[in-house]
Amino acid sequence: MRSGEGQSFSSRVKDELVRLPFGKSCCMLSEISALTQTSGHLSFRGGGWFSVSYRLDHAGVSRRLFQLLKKRLGVNPTLHFVQTARLGGRRTCVLTLSLQDSRLLLDALHMTETDEEGRVHLKRTVPRYPMTRQCCRKAFLRGAFLGAGTLSHPERGYHFEWKAEDDELPGALEKLLEKNGLPCHRYLRRGKPVVYLKGAQEIADVLALMGAGQSMMELENIRIRKQMRAQAARAANCDEHNGERMLDTAQRQAEAIRRISLKQGLFTLPPALREIARLRVENPDLSLKELGEMLDPPLGKSGVNHRMRRLMEIAEQLEKEEQN
């Protein structure tokens, strides 16, 4: 049984990512920011208060987010599971923050502003936590993948994507990817923007960028195996095509020699042509090179080919004479 059989490649990548160290304080906040934008839900409670909750399908991601929130911001989310019948009974983990902890989170992410009367509002354009450092950009990409990323198995094809519920997330992802030389694309699926990568090298690069080195090596190994299989298939197809062509040519040569034998007899041919004609009829599956090696003295492929062309010309001439 192969390693990870029965588990999607995306899940294996996430399993690797959730085991990574949290990193510096700034990186932790960048990862929280990405998870908030991909998996967070805001509810207005009145009086300038908002509550934040997260819905996550991957248990490891839920644990990591719980620990990030507690370690970086000192908040203590409540955790419970819900089972969704329409999704085949899949269990979803829900993390819920209190009103005070929600305010603390939103303030830390610069997502709130206070008006002149002291009332708290969400900013119309939700700012991203500053990501001027490369380490923070890596953490943001990692958090975005943990919250809304999927990856097809490399054996079936190369497709890596983030599905965005936040309208501004695609632009942020595109800028981060472009800064790392990773060309990405965007399209709409059911009205929601999806940012994706298609090339095997680009996907390997983003896995390494997020810190999924083991998954990156697995992808590279699969890619090498696929290339070797493709090369072997091309070589086999080429050999098969060449073999079929050689046999067709040999069959035409043998038929021409038989026509000569029936019309005038092989004994009428010059000794050199008579010898190669006999070898061809007796060895219809040999190549010209192999026929030449059977001669005494041996003859090269071009020499055998010249004699065969002469035999074909004699057979064609006899056929024209018969028609006239």
Side-chain angles (χ1 to χ4, degrees):
M1 181 179 293
R2 293 181 303 176
S3 175
E5 187 172 345
Q7 184 185 31
S8 73
F9 194 73
S10 281
S11 293
R12 298 212 297 275
V13 174
K14 291 181 180 182
D15 285 346
E16 180 179 3
L17 292 177
V18 297
R19 292 194 297 268
L20 293 176
F22 292 140
K24 295 180 289 187
S25 176
C26 57
C27 299
M28 294 170 65
L29 203 55
S30 292
E31 191 168 335
I32 292 172
S33 176
L35 283 163
T36 301
Q37 293 167 54
T38 55
S39 304
H41 299 269
L42 295 176
S43 300
F44 180 63
R45 298 301 184 188
W49 290 96
F50 301 87
S51 67
V52 179
S53 62
Y54 299 87
R55 298 176 69 90
L56 297 156
D57 295 329
H58 191 284
V61 177
S62 303
R63 287 193 298 271
R64 183 175 179 86
L65 177 57
F66 184 96
Q67 293 166 353
L68 280 167
L69 290 169
K70 188 171 184 177
K71 185 176 180 64
R72 176 61 180 82
L73 299 173
V75 304
N76 290 285
T78 60
L79 185 151
H80 71 278
F81 291 92
V82 296
Q83 201 154 6
T84 309
R86 66 182 181 86
L87 296 178
R90 186 172 60 188
R91 293 202 336 158
T92 299
C93 179
V94 179
L95 297 178
T96 305
L97 276 63
S98 67
L99 294 180
Q100 290 79 8
D101 285 346
S102 296
R103 172 68 63 81
L104 180 62
L105 169 67
L106 296 176
D107 288 345
L109 297 179
H110 310 295
M111 294 176 65
T112 57
E113 59 185 359
T114 305
D115 62 21
E116 296 177 352
E117 299 178 2
R119 291 175 299 188
V120 177
H121 304 274
L122 285 176
K123 291 184 178 180
R124 292 184 178 180
T125 302
V126 180
R128 270 65 193 155
Y129 181 75
M131 289 176 288
T132 56
R133 299 177 180 176
Q134 177 71 345
C135 59
C136 294
R137 293 195 287 266
K138 291 180 179 180
F140 188 91
L141 287 173
R142 179 169 60 247
F145 178 73
L146 290 175
T150 57
L151 173 62
S152 64
H153 197 289
E155 287 284 6
R156 295 191 295 271
Y158 302 109
H159 184 83
F160 185 114
E161 69 175 37
W162 293 266
K163 183 180 179 182
E165 297 291 337
D166 186 321
D167 292 337
E168 296 179 23
L169 180 62
L173 289 172
E174 287 169 344
K175 288 180 181 178
L176 291 179
L177 293 169
E178 287 171 3
K179 284 184 178 180
N180 289 279
L182 295 171
C184 61
H185 310 276
R186 189 197 300 198
Y187 71 99
L188 291 178
R189 181 193 295 154
R190 299 176 184 173
K192 298 294 184 180
V194 175
V195 177
Y196 68 96
L197 302 168
K198 290 296 289 186
Q201 187 58 55
E202 288 79 6
I203 294 173
D205 289 343
V206 79
L207 287 174
L209 192 63
M210 295 189 303
Q214 182 178 344
S215 298
M216 185 269 289
M217 291 301 299
E218 183 179 355
L219 181 145
E220 290 288 8
N221 289 335
I222 292 173
R223 179 164 64 153
I224 291 171
R225 289 200 300 270
K226 288 174 68 175
Q227 290 174 343
M228 292 178 65
R229 287 199 298 266
Q231 291 172 356
R234 285 194 296 268
N237 290 336
C238 182
D239 291 343
E240 182 180 356
H241 176 71
N242 290 338
E244 290 177 354
R245 186 172 60 181
M246 185 193 75
L247 290 175
D248 289 342
T249 302
Q251 185 176 4
R252 289 196 303 272
Q253 293 167 349
E255 290 175 354
I257 294 167
R258 291 190 186 97
R259 286 200 302 272
I260 296 172
S261 179
L262 289 171
K263 298 297 181 184
Q264 66 179 36
L266 296 182
F267 65 91
T268 61
L269 296 173
L273 294 183
R274 186 168 62 245
E275 184 179 16
I276 198 67
R278 178 184 57 79
L279 285 174
R280 168 50 79 205
V281 172
E282 293 174 353
N283 303 278
D285 58 337
L286 292 186
S287 66
L288 297 182
K289 180 176 181 295
E290 291 169 326
L291 288 179
E293 292 172 350
M294 296 179 69
L295 294 172
D296 187 15
L299 186 65
K301 179 180 177 180
S302 60
V304 175
N305 190 44
H306 173 75
R307 294 184 185 185
M308 285 297 177
R309 285 203 305 269
R310 181 69 186 117
L311 288 170
M312 298 292 285
E313 290 171 358
I314 293 172
E316 290 176 6
Q317 183 63 34
L318 289 173
E319 188 172 353
K320 287 180 181 177
E321 291 175 357
E322 185 181 47
Q323 291 175 353
N324 293 333

